[in-house]
């Protein structure tokens, strides 16, 4: 039974995210790995409040707003390749979640 490894990559740095996905995709193409994606998700806007002081009272600066970008990749079978991708070092600004599923 093959395994499907799903990688969910998110980052606030779109360039770093796209470079990381491109590297994985090119590596999969060189090794002949069955590869799905990348599937782009809707960019999300996040807001973080900024206080002018460390106390709860007092004024506030304008909220800090930033965008989070996401991509999803599926690797079908090829467990060794999926393991090597999961063990590889990702840039500091790229967050990766890995889900492995057995398919019948």
């Amino acid at each position: 039974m093959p395994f499907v490894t799903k990688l969910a990559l998110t980052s606030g740095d779109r360039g770093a995210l796209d470079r990381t996905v491109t590297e994985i995709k090119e590596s999969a193409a060189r090794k002949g790995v069955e590869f799905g994606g990348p599937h782009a998700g809707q960019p999300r806007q996040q807001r973080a409040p900024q206080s002018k002081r460390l106390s709860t009272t007092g004024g506030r600066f304008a909220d800090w707003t930033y965008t989070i970008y996401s991509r999803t990749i599926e690797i079908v079978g090829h467990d060794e390749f999926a393991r090597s991708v999961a063990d590889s070092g990702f840039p500091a600004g790229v967050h990766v979640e890995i889900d492995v599923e057995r398919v019948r």
Side-chain angles (χ1 to χ4, degrees), residues 34-94:
E34 187 178 340
F35 185 87
H39 307 291
Q42 277 290 54
R44 290 188 334 234
Q45 293 288 324
Q46 290 289 104
R47 294 183 189 276
Q50 301 184 91
S51 297
K52 289 186 178 182
R53 298 185 179 185
L54 294 176
S55 67
T56 57
T57 61
R60 292 184 166 263
F61 292 111
D63 288 350
W64 176 47
T65 304
Y66 59 98
T67 305
I68 298 177
Y69 303 95
S70 64
R71 305 286 183 272
T72 306
I73 300 169
E74 297 91 22
I75 301 169
V76 180
H78 301 279
D79 303 335
E80 289 299 319
F81 177 76
R83 188 174 295 118
S84 70
V85 168
D87 288 341
S88 67
F90 292 99
V94 177

Side-chain angles (χ1 to χ4, degrees), residues 6 15 22-23 26 31-32 34 43 50 58 72 101:
K6 294 182 182 180
T22 300
E23 289 172 9
E26 288 173 353
K31 295 185 180 190
E34 187 178 340
Q50 301 184 91
T72 306
E101 183 180 318

Side-chain angles (χ1 to χ4, degrees), residues 1-6 34 74-79 82 99-104:
M1 286 183 252
F3 289 94
V4 175
T5 305
K6 294 182 182 180
E34 187 178 340
E74 297 91 22
I75 301 169
V76 180
H78 301 279
D79 303 335
D99 183 34
V100 179
E101 183 180 318
R102 181 179 275 180
V103 179
R104 295 183 181 236

